[in-house]
Amino acid sequence: MAGKKIITWIILMLIAGHGLIAQTKITRVSEVPENFCLSSDEWKLFLMINEYRKQYDLPPIPLSRSLCYVANTHAKDLFFHHPDIESCNFHSWSDKGPWKPFCYPADEDKKNSVWDKPKELSDYPGKGFEIVYWENSDVVIDSVINFWRSFDYFNSFLMNTGKWKDREWKAIGIGICQNYAVAWFGEERDTTRTPSVCGQKPPDKQPDTVPIKTQTPVVSILPEVSTKSQPSVQSATDHYYIIVKSLLPILEAEKVVEQLKSNQYNQARIIQNGGKIRVSLFDTSDRDEALRLLKEAKKLYKDAWLYKQ
């Protein structure tokens, strides 16, 4: 009997050990610095998101110091190191920091998720989910919120619709660096203190909102894709191009344009700037028209984005 008990105990230990091995351990590689604070633009974008939710009787999302740090860190990584190359989209992380490099969606699986970055970089206890904004000039805050409201995928995060309709956001983090804006959403509360705005006294309580123009929310959802974007302030000389292919050799770009024109996309053309070769499907000098054409282009190329000259 003693021998059977020992064998049973060994088997149970092996099973338990296998379970531990199968689990992915998230190693925290950094923590939020004591002097961490938000920029005034990051603070304003946070307030505008909650104002947008308030217009449709949705509760405000508490600001998370941990998720703000993650968002700020990722915005800087995107700007300085550009991990979004080839098959890696905006949710990717470079190998230039203490974190684990990540090519999204190629590296995403059940045991390895980019949404565990909050656990890796802070004390935040749960997963975080991210939306990213990019434009080819410094971010204009009104542009960010208006763009996110205009596209189903981003709007579903802001309004808890589509894929997120049964989720409750209990934390949000905002990060901005140059021409990138990032927002992280979480379902777990952040028990650390509320972050302050740089140069200002820490708030006694979570703030309310700031006014933004009312706009009917879009409640359907698009596939999860990286989307480039555009500023809201348009000059008389602005021209917008809907880019469907980037960083191609000139001969390959010419073939893509030829194929597009054979399919009645007569505006297709090659755009060369700064040594980079891109293929534009449509172009226009009207921003609203450009947004409409971008949606049309995404039917053919889900990663189509807007480029302004």
Side-chain angles (χ1 to χ4, degrees):
M1 286 294 291
K4 287 183 178 180
K5 287 182 179 179
I6 292 173
I7 292 172
T8 301
W9 180 81
I10 292 173
I11 291 173
L12 290 172
M13 289 299 291
L14 287 171
I15 292 172
H18 177 74
L20 290 173
I21 293 172
Q23 294 176 1
T24 301
K25 181 176 176 61
I26 307 301
T27 302
R28 186 158 61 87
V29 297
S30 72
E31 58 185 22
V32 183
E34 278 298 315
N35 62 351
F36 176 74
C37 55
L38 274 67
S39 71
S40 57
D41 279 345
E42 289 167 340
W43 185 256
K44 180 180 177 183
L45 182 55
F46 160 69
L47 295 175
M48 293 177 80
I49 289 173
N50 274 339
E51 171 62 22
Y52 178 43
R53 290 172 60 85
K54 181 180 179 182
Q55 291 173 4
Y56 299 96
D57 297 322
L58 293 174
I61 310 172
L63 188 64
S64 161
R65 186 168 181 264
S66 298
L67 291 186
C68 282
Y69 176 65
V70 174
N72 185 272
T73 301
H74 195 208
K76 289 177 179 176
D77 187 42
L78 287 167
F79 176 74
F80 288 109
H81 305 130
H82 301 290
D84 51 317
I85 56 174
E86 298 179 351
S87 62
C88 307
N89 68 23
F90 278 156
H91 302 307
S92 303
W93 292 69
S94 76
D95 60 358
K96 307 300 182 184
W99 53 79
K100 182 179 179 180
F102 206 101
C103 175
Y104 188 86
D107 293 340
E108 185 80 4
D109 56 44
K110 291 182 180 179
K111 299 179 183 179
N112 190 36
S113 176
V114 74
W115 312 126
D116 287 322
K117 286 298 176 190
K119 295 181 183 178
E120 188 180 3
L121 295 171
S122 71
D123 289 325
Y124 189 72
K127 291 183 180 293
F129 304 94
E130 178 189 50
I131 56 176
V132 178
Y133 173 93
W134 175 94
E135 61 185 58
N136 61 319
S137 58
D138 286 353
V139 161
V140 177
I141 298 304
D142 291 341
S143 225
V144 180
I145 187 67
N146 287 331
F147 182 81
W148 282 346
R149 294 190 306 178
S150 298
F151 284 85
D152 299 0
Y153 170 67
F154 300 112
N155 192 68
S156 67
F157 281 84
L158 303 180
M159 300 294 287
N160 288 111
T161 57
K163 178 181 178 179
W164 310 105
K165 66 180 180 180
D166 296 322
R167 307 289 188 98
E168 180 184 355
W169 299 137
K170 296 180 180 179
I172 187 174
I174 305 294
I176 295 172
C177 182
Q178 302 294 324
N179 53 342
Y180 287 91
V182 174
W184 279 77
F185 300 80
E187 297 178 273
E188 302 289 337
R189 293 192 182 278
D190 185 354
T191 57
T192 62
R193 65 181 185 272
T194 300
S196 60
V197 180
C198 300
Q200 296 185 20
K201 181 182 177 181
D204 295 326
K205 62 178 182 177
Q206 286 279 346
D208 293 323
T209 58
V210 296
I212 56 175
K213 294 181 180 179
T214 303
Q215 182 173 340
T216 303
V218 184
V219 296
S220 59
I221 187 168
L222 293 175
E224 183 166 326
V225 295
S226 289
T227 308
K228 311 274 185 172
S229 56
Q230 70 298 312
S232 60
V233 179
Q234 179 177 332
S235 74
T237 58
D238 285 347
H239 201 82
Y240 299 90
Y241 299 88
I242 286 72
I243 305 299
V244 295
K245 290 287 185 179
S246 301
L247 307 178
L248 297 176
I250 186 64
L251 292 179
E252 186 176 344
E254 289 174 349
K255 289 180 181 179
V256 172
V257 169
E258 183 179 349
Q259 182 180 15
L260 288 170
K261 287 188 173 181
S262 69
N263 289 321
Q264 307 304 311
Y265 290 99
N266 297 323
Q267 279 191 295
R269 56 186 294 189
I270 294 173
I271 304 297
Q272 296 190 57
N273 188 30
K276 296 179 181 179
I277 297 173
R278 303 181 175 100
V279 175
S280 169
L281 186 63
F282 305 111
D283 62 273
T284 177
S285 58
D286 183 85
R287 179 179 175 277
D288 291 337
E289 176 71 1
L291 287 174
R292 187 190 68 77
L293 293 172
L294 179 60
K295 291 183 179 181
E296 179 68 24
K298 283 181 174 295
K299 296 175 183 178
L300 287 178
Y301 297 92
K302 66 178 183 179
D303 291 323
W305 57 281
L306 207 59
Y307 177 70
K308 184 191 76 172
Q309 280 189 332

